[in-house]
Structures are given as C-alpha cells and as structure tokens.
Amino acid sequence: MLVANVLLVVVSYWLAGLTGMASNIVTKPLRMLIIAVSLYYLFFMTRRRVYYFKGSQSWRVWIFILLNLYVLPFSFSFLTTAEKFANLFPYLVYLNYLTIYLYRNYTAAQLLKLLLRILNVVYSFPLFAYLLTGRGLSEKDIYSETIGGFLNNHYGWTCTVFLATSLDLIRNDRNLSPLHRRFIYVCIPLAFYLLLISGSRSGYVSFAICFLIFVVRNKGTHVVLKALTVLVVSVFVMQLFGDKDSALNKRLDKTQQQRKKGEPRLIAAQRATEVFTNHPVTMLT
C-alpha cells in the first residue's frame, strides 16, 4: 500500500497535467480511498495494534497539528486553509501510524533500503511519460513547458530524486537485484538529460550536491575513476555552456537578470525580516 500511495502522487500530477486538473475529480477520492484502506490494514490486519497519537512517537505529529490550528485564524482565507488542513489530516494520521509500524517491524537499515527502492522505481515514471510524447532526445530547453503531462519543474525534481536514489542504491545496496541494477543503468542517461533541459535550478543544485558527496565519499572507487567520472560530467556540462539555446544558459541569463532587477522572493524575505525585527510579536502569527 505504501508503493500505491507514493505512485498515486506522481500519477495524479501526470493526469492533472494531461487533463488540465479535471482528473482531480477522480484522483482525489481515489487517494482518500487508498489512505482509508491503508489505515484499515494498519489498524485491523496487524495483531499488534498501536493506536495513532498514542505513545512518545506521536509528539511530532501533535505539534504539527497544533501549529496548523494556531495559524489557521491568521490565514488569508480561513475557509480555504481549513479545507486544506482537513484534507491533510488523514495523511498525517496515516504517516504517523505507518512510521510507527515500519520502525517496529524493520531495522533502520532495512527501512532505508526499502524506501530508496520504492522512490527509485516510482520516480522513474516521468522518464517513460516523456518518451511516450515522442519528443525525442533533441530538445535543448523545456523550461515553462508542459510535456507528457509534467511541467519542466516536475521533470527537474523527479529526475533529481531518481538520480540521487540511483547513486545511493548502486553504492550501498549489495542486495539490489541484477534486474533493478540494469534498470538504473539504462535510465540514468535519460534522467540526467531531462534534468539538464528542465531548467530547474533547484534540481541542478540538489544533484550537484548529491554527486559531489557520492564521488568524495565513495572510498571503494579508485581516484582515477573518480576523476574520469567528474571529467565526463564536466565535459557534457561545458558543451551545454557553449550552446546559447540550452536550458542551462537560459537559466543562468535569467538568474543574472533577476540579480540586477531584484529577486521577488528575496525582496519578500527581506521585507519579512524587517517586519519581524521591528515587530517581534508578528513571529507568533
């Protein structure tokens, strides 16, 4: 059921993009149904029942719920915020109880490997969605586009998650099946390509950090192989730098323009810091 819940999140994004959000009429009730079935299994199909919001494991969920209830009266639209919180509540219950169940039935190492495998397989879905569009591998920039039901940012963060989990599984999961390992090797080039043409700056930074950690901490790999890996990736990226129409160059140009004009989110953050400094009581709201 955990796989079904995670997969449905990605599939819901995909269907919403294809149908212009019309699919939410179906996917929202379906997500709630799967959550209900999952909770039923956790509560009634397991012999050792641990009721949600009971025990020391649940204090984080209680704090999160209380914080939501506290800020609710100060929200811009009370009814909208209340509706979103009501929709979120079943997921909080499910995640809380699921976490307790998993930690009582698996070791931390087993749980980490399980989650990595699930995320790796589920977040490969957008790769195949892109291939089904028939756009091919000649695209240089898909920024602000919706292709195959996914926005460019969707491709950016899903490819980052896929690549990060792939690096971890290849390096640390000795029990990974040969089939899954081959699947990763086949999909990595496509995921890297989609990440680059997505124009997602957060995706670029996240992958760069993961890649550097992987290369530096991979003590089992000879230093020459590490250098060659970095060199191959660097040459590929430099080629994109040389193409003025590439997503990488366009995003760099936009970043420079935003630095000159002023980044709206940075301006908002500076304004918020000023308000909090002059009126500390507003921090509570």
Side-chain angles (χ1 to χ4, degrees):
M1 296 307 294
L2 175 60
V3 178
N5 278 294
V6 177
L7 180 60
L8 190 57
V9 172
V10 179
V11 172
S12 295
Y13 274 108
W14 174 58
L15 292 175
L18 288 176
T19 63
M21 307 300 287
S23 61
N24 285 346
I25 299 175
V26 176
T27 55
K28 272 193 174 183
L30 183 58
R31 288 203 302 267
M32 294 303 296
L33 176 62
I34 292 180
I35 286 290
V37 173
S38 301
L39 285 172
Y40 177 82
Y41 174 81
L42 290 173
F43 281 111
F44 300 105
M45 301 302 288
T46 55
R47 294 184 178 181
R48 291 186 300 170
R49 300 180 184 178
V50 183
Y51 293 98
Y52 57 87
F53 302 149
K54 179 181 179 181
S56 59
Q57 298 96 333
S58 300
W59 66 270
R60 298 176 187 85
V61 180
W62 272 117
I63 289 178
F64 185 76
I65 290 174
L66 290 174
L67 284 174
N68 271 272
L69 292 175
Y70 174 76
V71 301
L72 189 59
F74 303 101
S75 59
F76 180 75
S77 175
F78 178 84
L79 292 178
T80 302
T81 306
E83 180 187 2
K84 289 182 178 179
F85 178 71
N87 291 331
L88 182 63
F89 186 79
Y91 294 96
L92 292 176
V93 176
Y94 170 67
L95 287 174
N96 177 76
Y97 191 74
L98 176 66
T99 302
I100 296 173
Y101 172 81
L102 290 174
Y103 272 106
R104 293 193 176 189
N105 289 275
Y106 299 93
T107 65
Q110 289 174 329
L111 183 57
L112 180 60
K113 289 179 181 180
L114 174 66
L115 292 176
L116 283 172
R117 291 177 187 179
I118 291 173
L119 291 174
N120 185 257
V121 172
V122 169
Y123 282 92
S124 67
F125 180 83
L127 306 183
F128 299 101
Y130 177 82
L131 290 177
L132 289 174
T133 64
R135 293 286 288 263
L137 304 179
S138 59
E139 298 288 338
K140 297 179 181 179
D141 181 18
I142 60 171
Y143 182 70
S144 74
E145 290 189 48
T146 299
I147 301 175
F150 289 108
L151 293 169
N152 70 293
N153 278 336
H154 294 158
Y155 284 112
W157 59 259
T158 54
C159 288
T160 300
V161 171
F162 176 80
L163 290 167
T165 53
S166 295
L167 292 175
D168 196 288
L169 288 171
I170 291 172
R171 174 66 181 87
N172 300 313
D173 194 346
R174 296 182 179 179
N175 296 321
L176 190 67
S177 70
L179 180 62
H180 194 165
R181 194 175 292 272
R182 292 191 199 99
F183 172 78
I184 288 174
Y185 287 139
V186 169
C187 291
I188 278 180
L190 177 59
F192 188 57
Y193 167 74
L194 286 176
L195 171 61
L196 289 174
I197 68 172
S198 70
S200 172
R201 289 176 293 188
S202 58
Y204 294 159
V205 173
S206 300
F207 175 73
I209 293 172
C210 292
F211 181 72
L212 287 174
I213 292 174
F214 173 76
V215 172
V216 172
R217 291 182 59 85
N218 194 349
K219 297 179 181 179
T221 303
H222 196 276
V223 64
V224 175
L225 184 58
K226 288 183 179 181
L228 285 174
T229 303
V230 174
L231 180 61
V232 170
V233 174
S234 299
V235 169
F236 188 73
V237 172
M238 289 304 294
Q239 282 220 323
L240 289 174
F241 270 121
D243 188 344
K244 64 179 182 179
D245 294 325
S246 69
L248 193 58
N249 263 329
K250 288 184 178 180
R251 295 303 286 154
L252 286 173
D253 290 342
K254 185 172 182 179
T255 301
Q256 293 297 330
Q257 292 173 10
Q258 287 177 329
R259 286 183 61 184
K260 293 177 181 178
K261 296 179 180 178
E263 166 60 39
R265 284 168 289 192
L266 178 60
I267 294 173
Q270 291 172 338
R271 174 59 179 160
T273 302
E274 182 183 340
V275 171
F276 290 153
T277 302
N278 296 333
H279 307 282
V281 70
T282 58
M283 292 185 186
L284 300 176
T285 61

